[in-house]
Amino acid sequence: MSPSPSPSRSLSHRVPDLGALELLLAVARHGSLGRAAREVGITQPAASSRIRSMERLLGVALVDRSPRGSRLTDAGALVTDWARRVVEAAEAFDAGAQALRDRRDSRLRVAASMTIAEYLLPGWLIALRAARPGTAVSLQAGNSAAVAELLLAGEADLGYVEGLAVPEGLDGAVVARDRLVVVAAPAHPWARRRRPIAPAELASAALVLREYGSGTRQVLDAALADHGGLAEPLLELASTTAVKAAAVTGAGPAVLSELAVTEELASRRLVEVPVADVSLTRALRAVWPTGPLPAGPARDLLSLAGGSAP
């Protein structure tokens, strides 16, 4: 019968902290408590107090003090040898941890839904580049459902979505607000209407829409759910740019982020069509796997984007 494993042991309460061990090593190097205190950045009285506390903790005298300086006792010399190995191990640990942080900070994988990727992220990434010039950033654009999948699969460090809520398995923070607008080419009958469109009429119309899984589609589906739900789309396209292009060419009315059609509305290539009695506003969110806030460049990008508690 094999012996049972010994129970794990925690460190004794008599083990000094690293600061005390570093001070003892400085005393050994300089033969002076005053010079040792200056090296570690404390006053001589504080150094004396720390040495006395360590002696009480260990139960042995470590340093003989005299007008000519400070000399290690035999026990102090032995403890100093042990302390040197402990401090060297701590320095190696610290260097390894720093290497892990450097590797983490050397890249940032971002996934973002289309509107955010096209109209907001470029400015945030330019600001991040100024703050962290050594960080290589990759960006994958897709709909909000695809962004959530990438984060949950560990293929992105930070994501941005446009849907109604934080996807399951993720935490999030609101970074901006957005409004969906109904737009049509100037020649379309809706562009010449004097009265806003009723929600039921919008729901029953054949529209140019984003695909299922997009944040834009989620918000529109929810807003019109009590008005008969969306009719079969005229066209269902996988990018904001494609939807906008179809609307500009007169294929039919479309529903898009106000961010995406600013230039087209200003140049009158598209006309906003007012809608009565329905809210088409939404929150734009940064998201990450459930747990602590992102660290390193991901946290910096979240801060630059104005992330706040949802």
Side-chain angles (χ1 to χ4, degrees):
M1 181 175 177
S2 59
S4 59
S6 59
S8 59
R9 295 176 57 190
S10 58
L11 284 175
S12 166
H13 69 281
R14 292 184 180 277
V15 175
D17 62 46
L18 282 174
L21 297 179
E22 288 177 322
L23 175 61
L24 184 63
L25 291 174
V27 173
R29 281 194 298 273
H30 296 291
S32 164
L33 195 59
R35 287 198 293 271
R38 286 193 294 274
E39 179 181 314
V40 301
I42 60 177
T43 65
Q44 183 167 338
S48 295
S49 175
R50 186 170 290 184
I51 291 293
R52 287 194 296 270
S53 295
M54 186 161 46
E55 289 173 331
R56 288 194 298 270
L57 182 69
L58 296 174
V60 295
L62 301 173
V63 178
D64 281 334
R65 303 161 184 81
S66 73
R68 294 186 299 277
S70 299
R71 183 181 63 83
L72 295 178
T73 65
D74 291 343
L78 185 59
V79 170
T80 298
D81 286 340
W82 298 337
R84 187 172 292 109
R85 293 198 291 270
V86 171
V87 171
E88 287 173 352
E91 289 171 346
F93 181 94
D94 186 47
Q98 183 61 51
L100 289 175
R101 290 191 293 272
D102 290 343
R103 186 171 68 181
R104 176 203 66 194
D105 294 352
S106 68
R107 67 169 188 171
L108 174 62
R109 300 168 301 166
V110 181
S113 53
M114 294 295 188
T115 300
I116 298 175
E118 292 183 38
Y119 300 101
L120 293 176
L121 256 177
W124 299 340
L125 292 178
I126 289 171
L128 180 68
R129 178 71 177 175
R132 285 186 176 267
T135 298
V137 180
S138 63
L139 172 62
Q140 296 187 68
N143 63 36
S144 294
V147 170
E149 289 174 4
L150 287 168
L151 286 165
L152 293 172
E155 296 175 13
D157 306 306
L158 186 67
Y160 291 91
V161 297
E162 305 162 8
L164 293 169
V166 177
E168 186 176 354
L170 303 178
D171 285 339
V174 174
V175 296
R177 301 282 176 181
D178 186 28
R179 183 173 71 97
L180 299 182
V181 292
V182 179
V183 293
H188 192 278
W190 280 10
R192 298 188 295 272
R193 288 181 64 120
R194 294 179 180 273
R195 295 181 180 177
I197 290 177
E201 184 180 359
L202 178 63
S204 64
L207 302 172
V208 181
L209 296 175
R210 285 289 307 279
E211 79 287 4
Y212 281 108
S214 73
T216 299
R217 186 67 172 268
Q218 291 174 22
V219 172
L220 188 60
D221 279 337
L224 298 179
D226 294 335
H227 303 281
L230 280 169
E232 187 71 20
L234 176 67
L235 293 171
E236 192 174 68
L237 303 172
S239 77
T240 299
T241 301
V243 172
K244 184 165 57 173
V248 168
T249 59
V255 181
L256 289 164
S257 164
E258 188 175 30
L259 294 168
V261 293
T262 301
E263 292 183 8
E264 288 75 15
L265 292 176
S267 64
R268 296 287 296 175
R269 285 185 292 159
L270 288 174
V271 176
E272 181 177 350
V273 181
V275 181
D277 303 323
V278 65
S279 174
L280 294 176
T281 60
R282 61 180 177 174
L284 307 181
R285 292 179 174 85
V287 289
W288 58 90
T290 299
L293 280 170
R299 178 170 292 198
D300 289 350
L301 181 58
L302 178 60
S303 177
L304 288 168
S308 60

